[in-house]
Amino acid sequence: MKKSVTFKNGHLNMAGNLYLPEKFEENKKYSGIVVVHPGGGVKEQTAGVYAEKLSKQGFVALAFDASCQGDSEGEPRLLEDPYARVEDVRCAVDYLTTLPYVDQEKIGALGICAGGGYAVSATQTERRIKAVATVSAVDIGAMFRGEASVETQLQTLEAVAKQRTAEANGTEVNQLTWAPDTLEEINEDTPVLLREAYDYYRTPRAQHPNSTNRFQFTSMDKLMSFSASSQIGTYLTQPMLLIVGTEADTRGYSDQFYSLSNGPKELFEVEGATHIAMYDIPEYIGQAVPKLTNFFGKNL
């Protein structure tokens, strides 16, 4: 059973879909799971897929749109602010604690792609999250810094600074794309991840009107300063499960999170799966969901 819900993040109204277990009983207590969508995604895509499947395993699962994105409030629209997105996770936990049928001591977090990095980042200091899991995790800060030289990164930050000044003085907002917009933009040099992203986000496979494939260029200063892993070895003592496809070109992030953790941890590899194949391909989700069910069942 799915319910459209709203909850507060400061003065913003956040939009979510709450998935309730089959044969739900309001007078019972359930474990709750916050599900965090990828960068550029919305609650109706892979986050909703996993939330619905977890609800069928007996959990109350909340998939929600990030602030400034989807059906959630916030300006400027399509801002990708990692620090705001981590706060979104905390506010989603706030909301679950207000539900009489959710056990406040049994709340977990699941994040997909950049949402995995945000979930891990939040869990480092959010002690109400008792267990965290990721699917195809990405540290979006590390991804945007990439392997570019410091000089190149500084040039990007200079460009962001000039764009902010221009926009403050009335220039049109500059937006970047997450993935190729059209098939014609893809060639033999296009990385596998971007090919997959086009197929997922820009075709009927998972296309959604709220997932516009755009983000503000002025997000870049926040993205480049963010680290999803800075306090894993110090503060993240809760159990952590990292699910990653053996063919994912982003698997290094899961490896890094695993190596940094000093707490209970498991790296679960799905043979043959690529990064985005873990979003919705039944063969691979069919392996991830039982693992997630067991993990949250033991640790919540």
Side-chain angles (χ1 to χ4, degrees):
M1 179 168 58
K2 179 177 77 172
K3 292 173 56 177
S4 294
V5 300
T6 59
F7 58 94
K8 284 291 187 180
N9 179 349
H11 65 283
L12 301 180
N13 288 312
M14 303 288 290
N17 286 331
L18 189 69
Y19 293 84
L20 301 175
E22 295 175 349
K23 299 181 181 178
F24 171 74
E25 297 178 41
E26 197 150 334
N27 61 350
K28 286 181 63 175
K29 289 284 189 181
Y30 297 89
S31 298
I33 301 172
V34 171
V35 185
V36 191
H37 67 69
V42 289
K43 62 186 180 300
E44 291 83 4
Q45 295 168 327
T46 183
V49 170
Y50 275 94
E52 181 178 27
K53 290 188 178 298
L54 287 170
S55 73
K56 291 180 178 178
Q57 301 302 317
F59 300 98
V60 171
L62 173 65
F64 64 94
D65 287 332
S67 53
C68 302
Q69 301 174 32
D71 291 319
S72 290
E73 293 181 346
E75 298 288 343
R77 300 306 296 170
L78 303 178
L79 180 70
E80 184 71 17
D81 181 346
Y83 304 97
R85 291 208 54 181
V86 170
E87 182 63 17
D88 293 342
V89 177
R90 297 179 187 280
C91 293
V93 173
D94 289 343
Y95 173 70
L96 287 185
T97 68
T98 70
L99 301 177
Y101 44 83
V102 171
D103 188 330
Q104 295 182 1
E105 298 301 316
K106 294 185 177 182
I107 293 175
L110 166 64
I112 302 108
C113 187
Y118 296 141
V120 167
S121 179
T123 303
Q124 290 169 61
T125 53
E126 179 52 82
R127 306 306 297 182
R128 295 174 300 173
I129 297 175
K130 304 303 182 185
V132 61
T134 68
V135 173
S136 298
V138 164
D139 181 339
I140 199 167
M143 174 175 277
F144 273 83
R145 287 186 295 274
E147 298 179 359
S149 67
V150 173
E151 181 182 8
T152 299
Q153 293 177 47
L154 289 171
Q155 289 172 354
T156 299
L157 293 173
E158 290 285 356
V160 172
K162 290 177 181 177
Q163 183 63 28
R164 283 193 66 124
T165 296
E167 290 179 15
N169 285 273
T171 297
E172 185 177 346
V173 169
N174 183 12
Q175 296 181 344
L176 303 179
T177 58
W178 289 101
D181 250 342
T182 65
L183 191 59
E184 288 70 32
E185 295 175 40
I186 297 174
N187 57 49
E188 60 185 16
D189 297 322
T190 303
V192 172
L193 179 61
L194 293 182
R195 292 170 185 264
E196 287 191 306
Y198 166 80
D199 188 61
Y200 183 80
Y201 287 108
R202 309 307 291 165
T203 73
R205 175 178 168 188
Q207 203 165 26
H208 191 277
N210 284 349
S211 180
T212 63
N213 195 37
R214 299 289 188 277
F215 69 100
Q216 297 272 7
F217 175 61
T218 51
S219 304
M220 289 291 289
D221 53 359
K222 291 164 276 294
L223 288 163
M224 289 174 63
S225 70
F226 178 73
S227 169
S229 61
S230 60
Q231 299 299 327
I232 287 179
T234 308
Y235 293 147
L236 205 161
T237 60
Q238 304 97 311
M240 178 170 62
L241 170 65
L242 304 155
I243 298 177
V244 62
T246 58
E247 303 307 307
D249 43 10
T250 55
R251 61 175 296 170
Y253 298 112
S254 295
D255 291 337
Q256 181 192 41
F257 291 172
Y258 182 85
S259 66
L260 289 172
S261 173
N262 294 313
K265 59 187 177 180
E266 181 179 359
L267 181 66
F268 180 72
E269 297 181 330
V270 179
E271 189 65 37
T274 58
H275 178 95
I276 285 178
M278 294 301 306
Y279 286 20
D280 65 340
I281 301 298
E283 175 187 355
Y284 303 127
I285 285 191
Q287 297 176 59
V289 171
K291 193 69 183 177
L292 290 165
T293 300
N294 180 262
F295 171 75
F296 285 123
K298 283 198 313 184
N299 294 297
L300 296 182

